[in-house]
């Protein structure tokens, strides 16, 4: 069963085509890694996929979409805004309730941000901000994850810790990754984008790092 299926997707900027046309299908329970050099069209593809996906899809763009003036708790809590009434969310904005506070704290502990719950997001480092956006996606508990370079600001061991958490939280995902070793380790299938088109689409088990190098 397809979790997401798109046909003849394309995008143009300034009258110049930058993506497609291309078609892509994602099965439920499938983890796809998008690879390719910067500017190949990965971010554009993820944005178009999000436009086509259902409302339960979690989306983590490269710009993260955080509100710097709000605390880490509030940024993470936004992952479930659509599940609660405006009054309930307003109460949590002013005086975070015990249940959501505990749920968010558990996720932050898992991501190594346990001491940042009340800290303004604008005061965090780049890697901490990225993990806050990951925490928001995990808290959302959507049916599928679309993420654009979710660990680009993190080092090796920490990047794998975050990818482990995302893999547990989202069995169905499309994640753009510049690190080809992570792409192979945390996906069932690799889709390579080159000049706005799909240049490679293979199961990860059939690929090696050398197979992906021509895309860069």
């Amino acid at each position: 069963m397809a979790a997401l299926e798109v046909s003849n997707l394309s995008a143009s900027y300034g009258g110049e085509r930058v993506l497609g046309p291309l078609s892509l299908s994602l099965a439920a329970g499938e983890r796809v890694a998008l690879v390719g050099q910067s500017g190949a069209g990965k971010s554009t593809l993820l944005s178009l996929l999000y436009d086509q996906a259902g409302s339960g899809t979690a989306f983590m763009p490269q710009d993260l979409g955080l509100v710097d003036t709000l605390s880490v708790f509030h940024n993470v809590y936004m992952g479930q805004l659509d599940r609660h009434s405006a009054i309930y969310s307003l109460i949590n904005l002013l005086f975070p309730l015990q249940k959501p506070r505990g749920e968010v704290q558990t996720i932050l502990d898992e991501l190594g941000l346990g001491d940042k719950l009340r800290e303004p997001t604008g005061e965090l480092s780049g890697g901490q901000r990225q993990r806050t956006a990951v925490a928001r996606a995990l808290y959302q508990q959507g049916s599928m994850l679309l993420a654009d370079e979710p660990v680009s600001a993190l080092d090796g061991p920490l990047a794998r810790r975050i990818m482990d958490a995302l893999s547990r939280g989202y069995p169905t995902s499309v994640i753009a990754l510049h690190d080809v070793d992570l792409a192979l380790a945390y996906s069932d299938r690799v889709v390579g984008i080159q000049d706005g088109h799909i240049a490679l689409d293979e199961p990860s088990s059939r690929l090696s790092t050398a197979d992906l190098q021509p895309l860069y």
Side-chain angles (χ1 to χ4, degrees), residues 164-182:
D164 284 338
L166 288 174
S167 295
R168 290 191 297 270
Y170 286 95
T172 305
S173 62
V174 181
I175 301 179
L177 291 163
H178 190 75
D179 186 317
V180 295
D181 291 324
L182 288 180

Side-chain angles (χ1 to χ4, degrees), residues 66-123:
L66 301 174
V67 181
D68 288 346
T69 55
L70 294 181
S71 70
V72 169
F73 167 80
H74 290 109
N75 273 277
V76 176
Y77 176 76
M78 286 179 183
Q80 290 193 14
L81 271 183
D82 61 347
R83 301 187 187 184
H84 304 292
S85 68
I87 293 177
Y88 182 87
S89 295
L90 180 60
I91 291 172
N92 270 293
L93 180 63
L94 299 173
F95 306 104
L97 299 174
Q98 182 176 356
K99 182 176 183 294
R101 187 174 67 243
E103 293 169 343
V104 171
Q105 184 69 63
T106 297
I107 295 173
L108 294 178
D109 288 342
E110 181 182 10
L111 303 183
L113 287 174
D115 60 339
K116 303 297 182 182
L117 183 73
R118 301 177 184 275
E119 191 160 333
T121 307
E123 297 180 8

Side-chain angles (χ1 to χ4, degrees), residues 36-213:
Q37 64 182 3
S38 297
K42 303 187 301 296
S43 296
T44 301
L45 176 56
L46 281 170
S47 181
L48 291 175
L49 290 177
Y50 183 58
D51 290 342
Q52 300 287 325
S55 58
T57 300
F59 182 46
M60 184 179 166
Q62 269 197 48
D63 66 8
L64 303 180
L66 301 174
V67 181
D68 288 346
T69 55
L70 294 181
S71 70
V72 169
F73 167 80
H74 290 109
N75 273 277
V76 176
Y77 176 76
M78 286 179 183
Q80 290 193 14
L81 271 183
D82 61 347
R83 301 187 187 184
H84 304 292
S85 68
I87 293 177
Y88 182 87
S89 295
L90 180 60
I91 291 172
N92 270 293
L93 180 63
L94 299 173
F95 306 104
L97 299 174
Q98 182 176 356
K99 182 176 183 294
R101 187 174 67 243
E103 293 169 343
V104 171
Q105 184 69 63
T106 297
I107 295 173
L108 294 178
D109 288 342
E110 181 182 10
L111 303 183
L113 287 174
D115 60 339
K116 303 297 182 182
L117 183 73
R118 301 177 184 275
E119 191 160 333
T121 307
E123 297 180 8
L124 302 179
S125 69
Q128 290 168 341
R129 288 170 56 81
Q130 203 165 54
R131 281 181 282 162
T132 298
V134 167
R136 181 185 58 201
L138 292 173
Y139 188 61
Q140 182 175 341
Q141 299 177 344
S143 58
M144 175 172 57
L145 172 68
L146 302 175
D148 196 353
E149 299 288 354
V151 294
S152 60
L154 307 177
D155 61 18
L158 187 53
R160 287 183 175 272
R161 178 177 177 179
I162 302 310
M163 289 301 298
D164 284 338
L166 288 174
S167 295
R168 290 191 297 270
Y170 286 95
T172 305
S173 62
V174 181
I175 301 179
L177 291 163
H178 190 75
D179 186 317
V180 295
D181 291 324
L182 288 180
L184 291 171
Y186 289 95
S187 69
D188 309 305
R189 173 180 159 207
V190 174
V191 173
I193 305 297
Q194 194 169 54
D195 298 326
H197 295 278
I198 294 177
L200 178 147
D201 188 347
E202 294 285 347
S204 304
S205 59
R206 298 181 186 173
L207 298 170
S208 67
T209 300
D211 294 322
L212 304 185
Q213 290 306 321

